[in-house]
Amino acid sequence: MASAIERAGYLPGLAPDEVEWQTLAFDRAGAPLEIAVPVLSDAQMAALAARVREASRQCLKPLPVARIIDIIDAAIARLLDRTDPWRRQAEELLPAITGYDSEMIRLGLTEYLKTFRKPQLTRFVAEDFANPQSLDDFQPLPKGGFARAFGPDLLVHIWAGNVPGLPLWSLISGLLVKAGNIGKVPSAEPLFAGLFARLLAEVAPELSDCFAIVWWKGGDSAREAALLREADTVLAYGGNDSLTALRDRLPLTTRYLAHGHKVSFGMVAKDALDTRKAWDAAHKAAYDVVRYDQQGCYSPHLFFVERGGKISPREFSHYVAHELASFQQKFPRRPLSLAEAGDVAAWRHGEEMKSLAGPEREIMSGAAGAWSVSYSEDTDDLAPSGLNRTIRIVAVDTLADAVPRIAPYKALLQTVGIAATPRELFRLAAILGAVGVTRISALGRMTAPEAGWHHDGRFNLLDLVTLTEIEQSAETAADSFAPYVD
Amino acid sequence: MTQDRIIEALLAFIENDDASDEEFDALALTLFAWQFEHNEPYRRFCQQREKTPRRIKSWRDIPAVPINAFKDLTLSCSDPEQAERVFMTSGTTQGGVHGRSYHADIRVYDASMIANFRHRFMGEYDRIRMGILFPDEIAMPNSSLAHYLALAKENFGTDDSHYLLTEDGIDQIRLLTELAHAETSGEPYALLGASYSFVHLLDEMRTMGESAELPPGSRILDTGGFKGQSRELDLDEFYTQLSSTFYVPRDLCINMYGMTELSTQFYDWGNRTCPSVKSGPHWIRTRAIDPLTGEDMPHGETGVLVHCDLAHFNIVSTILTEDAGIMVEDGFLLLGRADGAEAKGCSMAVAEFLKAARN
């Protein structure tokens, strides 16, 4: 049993008693837990930034990327081992912090961590770099000359939300390009990033100064500024308002990569709606809804369901309701705050009001509002669900009919989970891509992006580096200065 | 049951200070049956929840209509075209869409307001000189607050009570004259209006370098919160400033909590401490519920407020608000709005989506 107070963060060079700590209380799953988070002074933050920057130059930049992959792989192996103390700590504390069902976290964690094993990381690098060695040394370019990719000395991550493990994507991306990393954890889940950092330092003590995990209270712009002014590159997650505010506070020369909140949805073609396959599709669609209670940017808000199959869209919505009810037994929804419950209730009431207007709508809800399905015919534009297991199902004549409705939201779209024939899949992908969708997955896989995916359609690693090119002219000119020149 | 009989029963109930719980329940159930029969959208709402008059045994079981529904549905037991008054919400928090309350016969609203206001605001006075920081009913014919304040002025204000707002804001000359009159005459004075107007007033007083030592017995009534129409002030700070600027003790700074979707108001007994305990008269009851299950929250825990207001007879009597509160002895603590949770993850919440989609 862990002690009641856990320390979050990872602060190389700073002893715990040199730092001020603030306590965050969690009582999500009926097991009260307190997490102490560090509150650094400006001077401490500056010193930390200098230390990480310097260590990344000295210790990380000279390492071949293959060696970095080996180190991450070794750390991930520890987290995949359910008997390992680090893994046990994560399994014990994450449910208490986030309120998500512990079995869902356990399964989700394993599935997620598998994407960071050596073969997957090698593929991750190869996705972005045709020649991964260009992270280690100058490599010849087809146009002539040579190029080498340099990661930033100090990459600052601003993380948000409570989906367990999410910070690993960007932290590992930063490590792969040999950046010094300082990540700011959100109050909603302050623990896991620091845990991973400490594990990494244990696996590779030589890198222990190359990263740090800090915290400040959201909106504490003084502390935020103390770190941001040191950053070469800032990678931030969050809502559009906070991302805009952050951008406005950055120096023009700081590279800024923002991942705003996104909307995702699903599409079920009539070919997936025969009596046998429809249950499977409904099960998978419900699973995408249940996983982390729709808190992910890849989580579905609605499903467009095509008419003309053996199972009608309305029947399909009943199937999904049934599956959500049975998932509630297996993976109960996390306890909601009053504000969240209010949002869910408001959404459901809104749908109820619309359903009073006529028979083309129907709303189904679980006991105590544990889930809700709102079925409608044709009339709905893309609109988000109330989150926390509330889903809209919209019947359409053809799936392509749905596309004009989502087109206005181009900047907000991310994942589409599709159940359709191969021909239909590629036809839909073409028109969805054109209106801004960046990821298409199978139903049931919406919340588990594969290794090396391009988050929001961007290059996770390439976006972090700058290339230094030796043009052919320099190479040729150098020849004339060689000691062996004739 | 006819509308006249309902009105008759309500007016009698409002008069009856000794009404028992059983009498409240009986009238609430009578009204529910009346509304179920005559208010078609409400009937469908109840049927969807399998709540019919036959199955309801207590006011606590009556289905509460979310106030958002007042935008989408025409909730009225009589022809809305024939309504004597229609009050609309300002729409500031609802994207410009107005919720409507149709009052078939305004007598019940007026009786409710008058009896309650006398009891909760007037103290030992029958009439008091008033300054009103809100537009009048001619300027805002669909504002329930404008009507409320007009009733206050007409029934409890002296003849020389005034509106202190013009189209250009606070009428400074009138204001200063009134304050000076109170100071010199020693006649108690009452300032009434929207909370945000008081913030503007405090700002103006400070700019002018003015304060007023209002005579003993003077009092202040604010209502409605700041709604983004003025600076947002901490409540403690707000009442401290009001009290120090006008020399009105915080015990006599009364906050009224009312809604367009109700015909009865709640008051506190002053704001010596914040949040104050709010309570209403015997013809309105309140619960704090879990919005998802509809069950009462355990005592002392925050829930969303549901009000059952018998006086709102022509519309629906039981509404689900968006206000968070805690039930306490003698009333409830009002804690502000209970929506707009921050997204926990990177998925988009409804409010953010609407905002982003507008850009």
Side-chain angles (χ1 to χ4, degrees), chain B residues 109-351:
Chain B
Y109 181 102
D110 291 359
S112 166
M113 184 278 169
I114 289 166
N116 197 20
F117 186 88
R118 176 182 292 124
H119 178 52
R120 300 302 295 260
F121 186 71
M122 290 305 291
E124 70 269 35
Y125 302 103
D126 290 327
R127 287 192 178 264
I128 189 167
R129 184 160 170 150
M130 291 179 179
I132 293 175
L133 292 160
F134 201 76
D136 63 20
E137 281 196 281
I138 296 162
M140 298 186 78
N142 294 115
S143 161
S144 57
L145 181 56
H147 180 63
Y148 168 94
L149 290 167
L151 285 176
K153 180 169 174 290
E154 181 187 323
N155 291 280
F156 301 101
T158 60
D159 289 344
D160 33 24
S161 295
H162 293 287
Y163 283 89
L164 301 178
L165 278 194
T166 68
E167 282 171 15
D168 308 320
I170 294 170
D171 182 345
Q172 286 192 0
I173 296 171
R174 171 77 75 188
L175 169 72
L176 294 177
T177 314
E178 288 291 294
L179 295 176
H181 175 268
E183 281 183 306
T184 50
S185 70
E187 181 190 343
Y189 190 62
L191 282 166
L192 303 91
S195 309
Y196 54 81
S197 298
F198 278 99
V199 178
H200 297 151
L201 174 64
L202 287 169
D203 290 347
E204 295 219 5
M205 294 289 284
R206 184 181 302 165
T207 312
M208 294 185 292
E210 293 279 347
S211 65
E213 194 167 345
L214 292 180
S218 296
R219 53 202 63 215
I220 287 174
L221 182 140
D222 80 286
T223 185
F226 307 122
K227 291 185 176 165
Q229 304 231 20
S230 71
R231 289 184 292 128
E232 295 278 330
L233 273 179
D234 174 67
L235 283 184
D236 243 327
E237 178 68 20
F238 177 66
Y239 290 111
T240 301
Q241 285 190 26
L242 274 183
S243 180
S244 62
T245 306
F246 298 104
Y247 288 70
V248 172
R250 281 176 59 164
D251 287 342
L252 288 175
C253 294
I254 313 283
N255 177 263
M256 184 274 275
Y257 163 53
M259 304 171 78
T260 303
E261 297 87 351
L262 292 176
S263 293
T264 301
Q265 298 79 34
F266 300 92
Y267 299 87
D268 50 44
W269 295 104
N271 279 273
R272 179 166 295 278
T273 55
C274 297
S276 59
V277 177
K278 298 274 191 295
S279 55
H282 63 264
W283 58 92
I284 191 166
R285 299 278 167 104
T286 298
R287 305 162 59 208
I289 65 157
D290 176 329
L292 279 177
T293 63
E295 301 293 324
D296 279 4
M297 291 302 289
H299 195 73
E301 285 187 28
T302 306
V304 177
L305 297 178
V306 166
H307 305 302
C308 176
D309 177 13
L310 302 184
H312 213 49
F313 74 97
N314 186 58
I315 303 105
V316 288
S317 288
T318 308
I319 62 158
L320 171 63
T321 69
E322 293 171 348
D323 299 319
I326 300 177
M327 297 309 295
V328 294
E329 194 99 4
D330 306 327
F332 57 88
L333 301 176
L334 181 64
L335 303 175
R337 283 171 67 84
D339 64 343
E342 292 241 333
K344 288 284 177 210
C346 44
S347 187
M348 192 159 272
V350 175

Side-chain angles (χ1 to χ4, degrees), chain A residues 161-162 241 261 295 352 356, chain B residues 44 49 340 344 346 352 355:
Chain A
N162 72 350
D241 286 348
H261 292 170
Q295 297 296 324
E352 257 174 9
L356 294 181
Chain B
R44 275 184 278 132
R49 297 180 172 213
K344 288 284 177 210
C346 44
E352 187 184 11
K355 195 170 165 195

